[in-house]
């Protein structure tokens, strides 16, 4: 997917929310959906089918309007966290311009987080993408839970964010940190404008 | 390009309180006597506290105080756009000039100038000019000047030199006044206790406060009874603070939405007043603008660089202004500048060949590079063509053997990859070993390439050309003519020995061709180092390429040459004749062919087929070793004992017209 198309004067950013099951990816999108004026958002689509597992994701298109003469669109996707939907995850990752890794802050979910992160790297590689070149931010969700149940930002950074990418604490249900995360990944993605633009 | 002043924003409609009193007083002072008190006036404070209101109030008041007084209001976006358009057109001065007649310039939201050094520099120049000429400037920002990231220090000092004032969030009294004023404007009638209750909520800015008022007004409009203070508190309790405003329908985390991805029911019963999306949008816009700005500035810089030198910059201007197809900026500008580089080369070449045509418009238009190249080629051809490889030395006639294999291999590599592998390629060998033939073979091979210009000549021809150029005083034309070839092949470069000026010119040309990646192939009768009187610089450069030795023909080569010659003439070769002739020693191919020719001539004279017997009789009979073993023949300094002729080609077998020669000598 081309991030910037100078021919049609369009900027399109595909951002994928990745992470283990129940970490709060869809909640992120629904919170954003709820905050975007009606004219700026497309219909949020959630596709799930028992028979065709490849179609199982959430999709939220955002029209940001004209920015510096470019029609700017964001496309937010989530992937199914469940292990058995790996083919779908790989499919959704295709052409991603940026990834938000939504981690569950609960201490007991750490292994799932690590497994999902490894799965992200493998799926990116399978798509010919290198996680080192891709804008990735981390969101540590469910930080509103009692402190004795969750890991701190520093602990989660140590465990997951060894490339020292931007990370955000969040409580997606209340919306805390949701837009901060989106802003963080957007900035990384947009700063690559001139590098990956196409004729 | 500019925004009209909104007449609703006046000092009269501005709610005054302690948090904004200083800013208000400064604004009034500036409005009533622009340029006289605080210049520049810088107003900062969080969004929604009335900075734009004050800015426009200054403009409205200044215009009402002095009729015809020129006021211009610009958002920083408009300021940037004006600057970009002017620089893109190469008219930065017009940007400055447009503010010459402006008495009061109001610029809103200059925090967006963060990281934009060129525009900051322009604002600094503008501000200095304003101060010198008594024109007033008022600026706003959501942060103090020093907190704007990556801001020019000189601009900061200039801003601090005026008056920097802030507007703070409204206090309770101010909130009450605002609520009363707006309620009256809306025609909403609230109890004083209700206004007081709402004013008690600490909000960050006036917009939030008005948002609360709107909710109460909407609630009252659909209620049968007026809103009471308690009801207002109850209603607003969950509205403020904002982080408590989002109330999920289902709070247990176990019931997260991933369980039912089809469920599109909004999770929240209402939106908070803080507009997170607008904030996000602003953030994204700022980032995109910064990136696009970089792109535009790069284009503008390139336009400004080349336009004053007379080059057409239409390609870049089009990229900046239209929706046409555009490549990424570095590729776009890189290609443009590469084209200009090529035009400069072409123009330089044209100056050498035909100076009067060097200012053709094609040399200043990067979209006409091909045309410029064509013009130069045409001018060079008009000077006269250089000789190419001769048809007399056809590639098919050259016979390969162990004596010349290295050289032949080098020829193959040179023809397939000229200028890259062996450059220069120097064939070294005695007379008649095939150097000249091989040189022309290279020439024929290279000439088959598209648009590849091969010059192939003897050193004597080169020297003649050079002498002609000296006589005609057309050095530049000589250099241009030779400098344009793609491959220069010169035979017998040993003839340059002792000619200092010619060597100078040859050295210049040689270097120029090699630097341009053009192929040079030379022949030489001895190793370059053994040529007396050849400049050491030239020798070392020759040896920097490949010096390929062609040895005297070995038996295999002699045999192959004889067979080829006989087959060419008779379609077949008698084996005995071939073996006999191939066994004869010969220092060159030319000598072998001379031997064959002698036998053929004799056979022709006697009316018999050429044979080994005839050859024996002819050659051995011609030198009757048994009859006169003491006599030897001295030719060209080579003394040969009978039957041991080392250099057959040096022997003069038939003296042409000896009688005429004797008469000539006697006369």
């Amino acid at each position: 997917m081309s991030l910037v198309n100078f021919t049609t004067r369009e900027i399109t950013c595909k951002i994928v929310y990745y992470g283990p099951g129940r970490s709060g990816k869809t909640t992120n999108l629904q919170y954003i959906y709820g905050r975007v004026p009606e004219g700026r958002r497309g219909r949020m689509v959630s596709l799930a089918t028992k028979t065709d597992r490849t179609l199982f994701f959430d999709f939220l298109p955002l029209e940001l309007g004209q920015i510096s003469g470019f029609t700017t669109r964001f496309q937010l996707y989530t992937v199914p966290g469940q292990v058995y939907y790996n083919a779908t995850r790989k499919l959704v990752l295709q052409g991603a311009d940026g990834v938000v890794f939504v981690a569950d802050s609960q201490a007991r979910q750490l292994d799932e987080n690590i497994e999902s992160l490894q799965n992200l790297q493998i799926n990116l590689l399978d798509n010919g993408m290198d996680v080192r070149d891709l804008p990735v931010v981390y969101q540590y969700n469910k930080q509103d839970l009692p402190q004795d149940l969750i890991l701190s930002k520093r602990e989660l950074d140590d465990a997951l964010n060894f490339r020292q990418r931007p990370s955000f604490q969040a409580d997606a249900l209340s919306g805390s940190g949701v837009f901060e995360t989106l802003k963080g990944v957007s900035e990384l993605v947009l700063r690559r404008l001139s590098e990956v633009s196409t004729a | 390009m500019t925004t009209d002043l909104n007449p609703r924003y006046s000092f009269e409609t501005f709610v005054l309180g302690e948090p904004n009193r200083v800013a208000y007083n400064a604004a009034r002072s500036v409005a009533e006597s622009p340029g006289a008190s605080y210049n520049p006036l810088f107003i900062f404070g969080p969004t929604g506290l009335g900075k734009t209101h004050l800015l426009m109030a200054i403009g409205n008041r200044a215009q009402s105080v002095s009729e015809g007084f020129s006021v211009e209001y610009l958002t920083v976006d408009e300021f940037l756009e004006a600057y970009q358009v002017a620089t893109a057109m190469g008219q930065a001065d017009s940007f400055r000039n447009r503010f010459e007649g402006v008495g009061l310039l109001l610029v809103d939201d200059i925090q967006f100038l963060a990281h934009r050094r060129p525009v900051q520099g322009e604002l600094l120049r503008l501000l200095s000019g304003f101060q010198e000429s008594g024109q007033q400037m008022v600026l706003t920002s959501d942060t103090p000047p020093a907190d704007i990231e990556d801001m020019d220090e000189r601009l900061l000092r200039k801003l601090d030199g005026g008056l920097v004032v802030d507007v703070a969030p409204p206090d309770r009294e101010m909130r009450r006044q605002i609520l009363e004023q707006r309620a009256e404007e809306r025609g909403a009638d609230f109890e004083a206790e209700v206004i007081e209750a709402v004013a008690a909520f600490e909000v960050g800015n006036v917009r939030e406060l008005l948002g609360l008022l709107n909710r109460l007004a909407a609630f009252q409009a659909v209620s049968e009874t007026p809103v009471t203070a308690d009801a207002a508190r109850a209603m607003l309790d969950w509205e403020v603070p904002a982080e408590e405003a989002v109330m999920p329908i289902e709070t247990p985390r176990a019931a997260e939405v991933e369980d039912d991805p089809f469920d599109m029911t909004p999770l929240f019963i209402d939106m908070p007043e803080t507009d997170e999306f607008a904030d996000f949008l602003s953030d994204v816009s700022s980032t995109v603008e910064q990136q696009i700005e970089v792109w535009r500035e790069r284009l503008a810089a390139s336009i400004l660089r080349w336009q004053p030198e007379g080059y057409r910059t239409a390609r870049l201007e089009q990229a900046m202004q239209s929706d046409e197809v555009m490549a990424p900026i570095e590729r776009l500008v890189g290609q443009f500048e590469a084209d200009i580089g090529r035009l400069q080369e072409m123009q330089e070449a044209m100056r050498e060949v035909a100076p009067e045509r060097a200012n053709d418009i094609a040399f200043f238009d990067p979209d006409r590079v091909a045309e410029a190249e064509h013009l130069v080629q045409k001018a060079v051809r008009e000077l006269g063509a250089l000789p190419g490889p001769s048809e007399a030395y056809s590639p098919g006639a050259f016979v390969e053997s162990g004596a010349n294999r290295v050289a032949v291999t080098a020829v193959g590599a040179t023809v397939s990859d000229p200028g890259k592998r062996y450059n220069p390629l120097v064939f070294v060998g005695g007379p008649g070993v095939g150097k000249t033939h091989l040189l022309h073979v290279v020439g024929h091979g290279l000439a088959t390439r598209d648009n590849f210009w091969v010059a192939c000549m003897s050193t004597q021809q080169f020297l003649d050309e050079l002498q002609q150029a000296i006589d005609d005083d057309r050095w530049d034309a000589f250099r241009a003519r030779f400098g344009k070839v793609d491959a220069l092949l010169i035979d017998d470069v040993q003839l340059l020995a002792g000619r200092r000026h010619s060597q100078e010119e040859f050295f210049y040309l040689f270097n120029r061709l090699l630097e341009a990646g053009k192929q040079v192939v030379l022949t030489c009768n001895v190793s370059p180092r053994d040529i007396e009187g050849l400049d050491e610089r030239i020798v070392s450069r020759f040896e920097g390429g490949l010096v390929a030795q062609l040895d005297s023909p070995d038996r295999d080569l002699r045999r192959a040459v004889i067979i080829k010659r006989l087959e060419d003439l008779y379609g077949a070769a008698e084996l005995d004749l071939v073996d006999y002739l191939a066994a004869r020693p010969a220092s060159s191919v030319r000598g072998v062919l001379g031997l064959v020719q002698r036998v053929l001539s004799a056979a022709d004279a006697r009316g018999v087929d050429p044979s080994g017997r005839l050859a024996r009789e002819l050659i051995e009979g011609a030198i009757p070793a048994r009859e006169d073993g003491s006599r030897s023949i001295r030719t060209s300094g080579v003394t040969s004992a009978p039957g041991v002729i080392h250099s057959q080609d040096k022997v003069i077998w038939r003296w042409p017209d000896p009688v005429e020669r004797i008469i000539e000598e006697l006369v």
Side-chain angles (χ1 to χ4, degrees):
Chain A
M1 172 177 292
S2 63
L3 180 56
V4 183
N5 191 324
F6 280 100
T7 309
T8 56
R9 292 257 177 168
E10 287 178 350
I11 296 174
T12 309
C13 300
K14 176 177 177 178
I15 294 170
V16 176
Y17 283 70
Y18 208 95
R22 294 175 182 267
S23 62
K25 301 176 292 295
T26 303
T27 315
N28 263 274
L29 253 63
Q30 288 185 310
Y31 183 84
I32 294 165
Y33 180 86
R35 295 299 171 275
V36 178
E38 211 163 306
R40 298 292 188 120
R41 70 190 184 201
R43 201 167 75 84
M44 181 165 167
V45 180
S46 281
L47 293 176
T49 166
K50 300 295 182 192
T51 54
D52 185 358
R53 289 175 176 178
T54 58
L55 295 174
F56 184 23
F57 58 88
D58 305 316
F59 170 58
L60 173 58
L62 300 180
E63 295 284 344
L64 304 191
Q66 290 281 322
I67 298 177
S68 297
F70 285 76
T71 303
T72 308
R73 296 192 181 89
F74 271 52
Q75 296 172 342
L76 310 186
Y77 287 79
T78 70
V79 295
Q82 289 76 4
V83 176
Y84 39 86
Y85 286 127
N86 194 48
T88 306
R89 279 199 295 274
K90 203 182 291 182
L91 190 70
V92 174
L93 269 180
Q94 277 181 9
D97 298 308
V99 169
V100 174
F101 186 83
V102 182
D104 190 328
S105 298
Q106 295 179 85
R108 64 184 172 83
Q109 294 295 322
L110 184 59
D111 287 346
E112 277 77 1
N113 287 330
I114 292 170
E115 190 183 343
S116 177
L117 190 59
Q118 289 168 341
N119 177 255
L120 168 66
Q121 294 181 9
I122 292 166
N123 283 338
L124 283 173
L125 277 176
D126 285 351
N127 278 323
M129 303 157 83
D130 189 338
V131 71
R132 291 171 296 186
D133 299 333
L134 190 70
V136 177
V137 301
Y138 291 80
Q139 183 189 76
Y140 304 136
N141 196 18
K142 306 185 187 179
Q143 286 281 320
D144 58 317
L145 289 176
Q147 292 299 306
D148 54 345
L149 293 180
I150 62 170
L151 297 175
S152 69
K153 182 171 183 287
R154 174 177 287 185
E155 288 168 324
L156 285 161
D157 269 340
D158 286 346
L160 305 171
N161 187 11
F162 40 84
R163 293 187 206 281
Q164 293 167 344
R165 301 292 181 84
S167 59
F168 304 89
Q169 292 169 281
D171 167 18
L173 273 178
S174 74
S176 168
V178 169
F179 269 94
E180 285 78 357
T181 308
L182 180 58
K183 277 191 216 173
V185 73
S186 303
E187 187 167 347
L188 288 187
V189 167
L190 291 169
R191 289 208 179 282
R192 299 175 78 216
L193 264 176
S194 53
E195 296 167 30
V196 292
S197 52
T198 58
Chain B
M1 193 64 77
T2 61
T3 303
D4 291 336
L5 295 175
N6 187 337
R8 285 186 59 238
Y9 291 142
S10 66
F11 286 118
E12 287 70 30
T13 56
F14 188 81
V15 177
L16 183 60
E18 284 311 311
N20 58 22
R21 189 173 300 282
V22 175
Y24 175 86
N25 288 338
R28 282 199 69 133
S29 171
V30 163
E32 281 158 15
S33 51
S37 48
Y38 313 117
N39 196 13
L41 173 62
F42 189 99
I43 304 169
F44 74 90
T47 185
L49 296 183
K51 297 188 298 297
T52 302
H53 188 139
L54 267 184
L55 207 57
M56 290 206 172
I58 293 170
N60 283 323
R61 174 60 62 90
Q63 279 182 327
S64 69
V65 168
S66 173
E67 196 175 338
F69 184 71
S70 171
V71 176
E72 193 155 353
Y73 169 91
L74 291 160
T75 63
V76 90
D77 281 343
E78 291 163 342
F79 185 83
L80 279 169
E81 190 183 343
Y83 172 74
Q84 284 158 358
V85 169
T87 51
M89 302 304 292
Q91 296 166 350
D93 284 345
S94 73
F95 175 74
R96 291 158 204 160
N97 295 341
R98 66 167 282 188
F99 296 111
E100 267 181 4
V102 175
L104 171 60
L105 179 62
L106 310 164
V107 187
D108 210 358
D109 287 332
I110 73 155
Q111 70 274 10
F112 292 122
L113 289 184
H115 304 292
R116 290 177 168 163
R117 286 296 182 117
V119 193
Q120 291 171 16
E122 198 54 50
L123 180 62
L124 175 64
R125 275 191 287 277
L126 199 59
L127 186 48
S128 301
F130 263 53
Q131 287 176 322
E132 283 169 18
S133 57
Q135 295 162 280
Q136 176 72 49
M137 194 183 290
V138 185
L139 309 105
T140 72
S141 164
D142 62 5
T143 61
D147 289 354
I148 301 176
E149 286 182 19
D150 191 27
M151 198 70 160
D152 189 313
E153 278 298 323
R154 296 165 302 166
L155 181 57
L156 286 179
R157 282 200 298 275
K158 189 68 89 176
L159 294 173
D160 287 339
L163 178 65
V164 179
V165 291
D166 73 320
V167 285
D171 57 17
R172 183 169 182 156
E173 175 56 22
M174 200 174 149
R175 292 198 292 271
R176 190 182 59 72
Q177 283 183 42
I178 293 168
L179 288 169
E180 284 175 350
Q181 188 186 53
R182 289 304 170 94
E184 191 181 332
E185 283 173 14
R186 291 177 60 100
D189 189 16
F190 292 113
E191 298 285 338
E193 292 78 17
V194 173
I195 295 288
E196 200 60 52
V198 177
F201 284 100
E202 287 192 16
V203 289
N205 61 49
V206 176
R207 288 194 195 107
E208 283 181 37
L209 188 66
L210 297 179
L212 297 181
L213 184 73
N214 289 342
R215 295 194 66 79
L216 285 177
F219 185 80
Q220 181 157 285
V222 296
S223 301
E224 293 178 356
T225 54
V227 176
T228 64
D230 285 343
R233 281 191 204 94
M235 190 185 309
L236 300 177
D237 258 348
W238 52 264
E239 288 286 351
V240 184
E243 58 268 24
E244 293 171 10
V246 181
M247 301 291 283
I249 292 171
E250 292 179 297
T251 50
R253 199 169 282 284
E256 267 190 23
V257 292
E258 280 186 2
D259 283 347
D260 183 3
F262 290 108
D263 182 9
M264 283 292 98
T265 309
L267 276 177
F268 314 103
I269 59 170
D270 209 342
M271 289 196 196
E273 289 304 318
T274 51
D275 192 344
E276 288 178 293
F277 178 73
D279 196 26
F280 164 70
L281 193 55
S282 161
D283 211 52
V284 168
S285 300
S286 172
T287 309
V288 170
E289 270 179 31
Q290 280 173 24
Q291 299 300 308
I292 300 297
E293 181 67 10
V294 168
W295 178 76
R296 284 188 173 136
E297 281 178 6
R298 182 80 176 85
L299 278 179
S302 190
I303 290 172
L304 288 174
R305 163 78 179 80
W306 296 110
Q307 210 172 46
E309 293 190 24
Y311 290 97
R312 271 192 89 224
T313 53
R315 197 192 304 172
L316 301 183
E317 288 163 33
Q318 191 182 16
M320 181 174 275
Q321 291 170 9
S322 77
D323 292 340
E324 294 298 313
V325 175
M326 287 182 291
I329 187 64
E330 286 311 321
R331 196 185 338 150
L332 186 72
V333 175
Q335 182 58 52
F336 181 82
E337 295 186 344
D339 287 343
I340 286 187
R342 184 74 184 130
L343 285 179
Q344 289 173 330
E345 284 174 21
M346 291 295 106
Q347 193 181 28
E348 191 57 35
M350 188 59 112
R351 280 200 187 100
E352 294 172 352
V353 183
E356 69 282 3
R357 284 186 256 167
N359 287 325
D360 190 289
I361 193 164
F363 295 113
F364 295 93
D365 188 346
D367 294 330
R368 294 167 71 180
V369 172
E371 190 180 333
E373 286 173 343
H374 177 72
L375 285 176
V376 173
Q377 282 172 0
K378 190 177 162 202
V380 169
R381 292 209 168 97
E382 282 170 8
L383 290 174
L386 290 168
S390 167
E391 292 303 323
Y393 298 101
S394 70
F398 190 84
V399 180
E400 188 183 338
S401 81
N404 56 30
R405 186 144 294 130
V406 172
V408 170
T409 304
V411 168
T414 302
V415 168
S416 64
D417 206 4
K420 303 284 192 305
R421 300 282 293 279
Y422 307 121
N423 206 11
L425 174 60
V426 184
F427 299 131
V428 173
V433 295
K435 303 186 299 297
T436 303
H437 195 150
L438 206 49
L439 186 80
H440 286 260
V441 168
V442 176
H444 285 300
L446 293 175
T448 59
R449 302 175 78 91
D450 288 339
N451 297 320
F452 201 89
W453 189 3
V454 181
C456 184
M457 60 177 63
S458 68
T459 298
Q460 192 55 54
Q461 283 175 299
F462 175 81
L463 293 172
D464 290 345
E465 291 267 354
L466 183 58
Q467 188 58 49
Q468 189 66 46
I470 294 168
D471 293 345
D472 297 346
D473 194 20
R474 296 209 64 183
W475 282 93
D476 287 344
F478 172 84
R479 289 179 175 180
R481 200 161 158 232
F482 277 87
K484 289 290 151 216
V485 301
D486 296 300
L488 179 64
L489 283 53
I490 297 189
D491 200 12
D492 288 329
V493 285
Q494 73 275 4
L495 296 179
L496 286 172
R499 297 171 184 266
R500 196 166 58 82
H501 291 301
S502 300
Q503 285 184 33
E504 281 285 332
E505 193 56 35
F506 179 83
F507 182 72
Y508 167 83
L509 176 62
F510 179 87
N511 277 346
R512 190 172 157 190
L513 291 173
L514 254 63
E515 280 169 15
K518 309 292 180 66
Q519 179 68 50
V520 176
V521 186
L522 310 162
T523 74
C524 190
N525 64 352
V526 291
S527 170
R529 189 149 294 284
D530 297 333
I531 302 174
E532 280 185 29
L534 192 61
D535 193 323
E536 181 59 33
R537 295 178 304 171
I538 295 179
V539 172
S540 68
R541 274 163 180 73
F542 285 0
E543 291 178 339
L546 175 69
V547 177
Q549 180 78 33
L550 280 81
D551 294 327
S552 297
D554 54 17
R555 189 185 182 103
D556 287 344
L557 179 57
R558 294 198 295 272
R559 185 178 171 79
V561 166
I562 294 163
I563 290 173
K564 184 165 181 49
R565 183 67 172 164
L566 292 174
E567 284 182 346
D568 284 349
L569 292 172
Y570 297 97
E574 193 207 44
L575 196 57
D576 184 38
L577 173 62
V578 171
D579 287 341
Y580 177 73
L581 290 179
R584 309 292 302 174
S587 59
S588 70
V589 172
R590 203 178 295 142
V592 175
L593 289 174
L595 206 56
V596 173
Q597 188 56 46
R598 193 175 157 215
V599 175
L600 296 181
S601 298
D604 197 32
R606 296 183 190 183
V608 297
D609 288 337
S611 64
R613 184 178 172 194
L614 175 64
R616 280 188 194 88
E617 183 186 328
L618 184 66
I619 293 171
E620 293 176 18
I623 309 163
R626 290 177 195 145
E627 294 167 16
D628 187 4
S630 63
R631 194 174 61 178
S632 66
I633 299 169
R634 182 184 172 84
T635 58
S636 303
V638 178
T639 302
S640 302
V644 194
I645 297 170
H646 295 295
S647 179
Q648 291 290 333
D649 61 320
K650 300 290 183 186
V651 177
I652 302 169
W653 297 100
R654 290 183 181 177
W655 289 93
D657 306 320
V659 176
E660 286 179 19
R661 288 181 63 85
I662 293 165
I663 293 169
E664 191 179 335
E665 290 293 320
L666 290 173
V667 171

